[in-house]
């Protein structure tokens, strides 16, 4: 056992990667009434979905296709579910691994790039050079924009992974020091950890929102 054992996808029972099952564990927390009636949790989810849907329509612009916002809505709820599940004890945080985040970011980025270069090649070439760029800087701007476009999937996935790992490691480090502390210091440590968990809850929402918004902006650039 080491500090990074909480991020190990291998289960200790059969030595297989059964911890990835936690990715779909959020479905088990949804009550059955959610599917058959309109309880308060369903109304809340509908209000959140409608607000995000309206915001995504603004980001996508007038060239959006019907139903395109559903992709990013589903992505948002999948990430936020897994981020929150990782805050519970003994639940594997799948979004803290590049395996999952790259699986989400790489197909989106690749599809956007292929769609843009196949259907809007002139627009993609024009996007490599920002407006009012001096002539002497144009080759450098093309190189910089090309590199930034190529690493978008990696930066998108690393941003989510790094933020989830940092908070979990900090909570683990603080909890490991509580054994050798006095009672008063332990109470203070618990208070700090409660504040950290509140901060991690906010980070879970913010990072899922940032992942969704950046994916939407990348898709709007190719239209």
């Amino acid at each position: 056992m080491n500090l990074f054992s909480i991020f190990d996808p291998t289960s200790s029972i059969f030595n297989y990667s059964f911890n990835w099952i936690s990715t779909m564990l959020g479905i088990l927390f949804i009550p059955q009434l959610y599917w058959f009636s309109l309880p308060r949790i369903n109304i809340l989810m509908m209000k959140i979905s409608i607000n995000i849907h309206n915001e995504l329509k603004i980001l996508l612009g007038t060239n959006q296709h019907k139903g395109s916002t559903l992709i990013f809505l589903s992505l948002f709820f999948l990430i936020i579910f897994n981020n929150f599940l990782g805050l519970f004890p003994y639940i594997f945080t799948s979004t803290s691994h590049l395996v999952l985040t790259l699986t989400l970011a790489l197909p989106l980025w690749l599809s956007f790039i292929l769609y843009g270069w196949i259907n809007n090649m002139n627009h993609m070439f024009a996007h490599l050079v920002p407006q009012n760029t001096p002539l002497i800087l144009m080759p450098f701007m093309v190189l910089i924009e090309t590199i930034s476009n190529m690493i978008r999937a990696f930066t998108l996935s690393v941003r989510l992974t790094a933020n989830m790992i940092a908070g979990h490691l900090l909570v683990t480090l603080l909890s490991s020091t509580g054994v050798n502390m006095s009672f008063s210091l332990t109470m203070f440590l618990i208070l700090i950890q409660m504040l950290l968990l509140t901060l991690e809850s906010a980070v879970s929402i913010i990072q899922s929102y940032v992942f969704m918004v950046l994916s939407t902006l990348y898709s709007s650039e190719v239209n």
Side-chain angles (χ1 to χ4, degrees), residues 14-113:
F14 301 106
N15 203 25
Y16 289 108
S17 299
F18 286 147
N19 285 334
W20 289 109
I21 301 175
S22 66
T23 306
M24 304 305 296
L25 197 62
I27 300 176
L28 300 179
F29 291 98
I30 301 176
Q32 292 183 353
L33 288 176
Y34 178 83
W35 309 104
F36 299 107
S37 62
L38 285 175
R40 292 182 180 179
I41 184 174
N42 200 343
I43 297 172
L44 178 63
M45 294 286 285
M46 288 176 61
K47 287 184 178 180
I48 295 174
S49 301
I50 290 171
N51 290 330
I52 296 177
H53 170 71
N54 294 330
E55 190 168 339
L56 290 178
K57 286 199 300 184
I58 298 173
L59 293 176
L60 289 172
T62 56
N63 295 325
Q64 60 174 311
H65 298 282
K66 290 184 178 181
S68 57
T69 57
L70 295 177
I71 301 174
F72 304 107
L73 265 176
S74 304
L75 190 66
F76 171 76
F77 283 115
L78 174 65
I79 295 174
I80 199 172
F81 259 127
N82 284 277
N83 288 351
F84 269 113
L85 283 175
L87 298 177
F88 289 93
Y90 304 107
I91 295 183
F92 175 69
T93 311
S94 57
T95 49
S96 63
H97 284 257
L98 281 174
V99 175
L100 179 66
T101 54
L102 267 178
T103 303
L104 297 175
L106 193 59
L108 286 174
W109 170 82
L110 188 60
S111 60
F112 297 154
I113 290 296

Side-chain angles (χ1 to χ4, degrees), residues 165-221:
I165 286 179
H168 284 67
L169 280 180
L170 187 57
V171 172
T172 306
L173 282 171
L174 288 175
S175 61
S176 62
T177 58
V179 181
N180 302 321
M181 288 184 176
S182 61
F183 179 77
S184 58
L185 288 177
T186 304
M187 293 296 105
F188 181 69
L189 180 63
I190 291 174
L191 179 61
I192 293 177
Q193 285 190 321
M194 290 175 64
L195 294 175
L196 274 176
L197 282 175
T198 305
L199 177 63
E200 280 298 297
S201 301
V203 169
S204 300
I205 300 173
I206 292 170
Q207 289 305 313
S208 55
Y209 181 78
V210 167
F211 196 98
M212 177 196 66
V213 169
L214 288 179
S215 302
T216 309
L217 290 175
Y218 295 160
S219 68
S220 63
E221 287 182 1

